[in-house]
Amino acid sequence: MLSFSAVIACSTPKNRVLQANHTPVIRTDTVKINADAVDLPPVTEALEAQQAVDIPVVVTTEDQVREMMRQGINKGADWTETIHYDVRKPNFVIIHHTAQHSLNQTIRTFQLPHTKVSSHYVIGKDGRVVQMLNDYLRSWHAGRSKWGNVTDLNSVSIGIELDNNGKEPFPEAQIGALLSLLDTLKTKYQIPFTNFIGHADIAPTRKDDPSVLFPWKRLAERGFGVWYDESNLLPVPDNFNHVDALRIIGYDVSNLRAAIIAFKRKFIVVDTGETLTEFDKRVLYNLYRRYF
């Protein structure tokens, strides 16, 4: 019999997964799948059978991966296995704040079926890092978004949620843990430094996270994201097109007002209005010349 096998392993040890009371925890065991299982009843049928007799069901990562692997086999075709393939490789990191009130609450939110939202990592105020999904799998954190020509950020990014209600400072322990995690991800996946961005950057009409209190300058100094040269803000040339500059940096300018506000929340901070001042234009021009 022709065989098909795959291994998907989560890089986070089991003891790093936080378990709240009465909360189903997604298992992070190594999942091994063999094609002999293709002839077995699909997981969905097994779950339906269990539900028919009122047995509580928790759909784990292993269950979902098994079902995906089954669906990926076309029984109407002959099978002969290639040796050249890859799984999804992340090329962006998107940073969020949770807009909730605790690490436990966010973990619970990401484990409820009806919320339809998730993230690869959640970082607590005390610096605790909880991984909730294998880096190679696609989480549902970006939503409707765009950056440059990329319109499906979920498929190419890792999502990191910071436990923060959106109105409070980010503690030193939390930022320290974030920087350590970013360093690991950047090195492991060779993510370009310009591709460390925020949720508000990619969804400016819907989102404002992380908040204006987030230390983007500090991240840029460590090689995660961009920042302007505060000592070299040159006058803007007469032919400088600020709309084109925003677009080239990555912003979706189809709603120019939202793009300007997102830009100012990140780089200007003290003024988040919808109009670019002369100073704002100098900052934008500096970023444009420096990185793009």
Side-chain angles (χ1 to χ4, degrees), residues 2 38-39 70-79:
L2 297 173
V38 172
D39 296 326
R70 293 173 196 274
Q71 293 176 4
I73 297 294
N74 185 342
K75 293 186 178 180
D78 292 334
W79 176 271

Side-chain angles (χ1 to χ4, degrees), residues 33-48:
I33 303 152
N34 191 285
D36 293 343
V38 172
D39 296 326
L40 297 176
V43 171
T44 50
E45 293 181 14
L47 295 182
E48 289 173 0

